[in-house]
Amino acid sequence: MCSSDLAGLGHEVAERRPAYDHAALEIGHSLVVAGNMAADIVECTAFLGRAPKPDDLERETWDFIRLGQGLSAEAFERARRSLHRQGRMIGAFFETCDVLLSPVVPVPPPKHGETTIDRIAHFIAFTFPWNATGQPACAVPFGWTRDGLPIRS
């Protein structure tokens, strides 16, 4: 469903953008994810009864694990608090709007094995702020590609 469809149904539609600090959101999210991955690898090692081998995980995953292993508790907590601040900034948007209509993914999905850390930003461009700050969201298909894949608004 597009904004023109919603307007045609009698809804007030306005172009607006939630305020937040994208750089702070990226840094905070990266550090919290890295800290969680470092904790996950410890639990995974205990569960498996062995440490993961280099080939068990992608290079980018190991990079995040190493980053997380080097984080202090203070740095992790500051990153977590930063995410909460950004979430409150985005939440303030909904004091004057009921719904934000946005694309979900701006490009078709990759084939298996094509996604890399360098390309992931293309796939999460619109959803990243919502996922990183715990905002409610819903993906609704409004069409289909020629290959039969859903296009979500």
Side-chain angles (χ1 to χ4, degrees), residues 81-141:
R81 289 179 184 186
S82 176
L83 288 180
H84 286 234
R85 273 191 301 280
Q86 299 309 310
R88 287 190 299 275
M89 288 176 68
I90 291 172
F93 174 82
F94 294 103
E95 292 175 6
T96 58
C97 292
D98 294 326
V99 174
L100 173 70
L101 184 64
S102 168
V104 175
V105 180
V107 294
K111 293 180 180 169
H112 180 70
E114 283 186 354
T115 302
T116 66
I117 199 73
D118 301 327
R119 294 187 60 212
I120 198 70
H122 298 293
F123 301 105
I124 65 170
F126 296 112
T127 59
F128 171 70
W130 310 106
N131 293 335
T133 61
Q135 303 295 324
C138 177
V140 180

Side-chain angles (χ1 to χ4, degrees), residues 22-87:
H22 191 80
L25 191 61
E26 282 185 337
I27 292 167
H29 183 259
S30 293
L31 294 178
V32 168
V33 167
N36 278 291
M37 290 175 84
D40 288 345
I41 206 70
V42 170
E43 291 179 7
C44 184
T45 297
F47 177 77
L48 293 174
R50 67 169 179 84
K53 296 178 263 183
D55 289 346
D56 287 341
L57 302 168
E58 296 172 332
R59 180 185 55 81
E60 292 89 352
T61 303
W62 284 115
D63 290 345
F64 267 99
I65 291 166
R66 281 189 289 278
L67 175 62
Q69 289 168 334
L71 281 179
S72 68
E74 176 198 353
F76 182 86
E77 180 58 17
R78 283 189 290 117
R80 192 187 65 78
R81 289 179 184 186
S82 176
L83 288 180
H84 286 234
R85 273 191 301 280
Q86 299 309 310

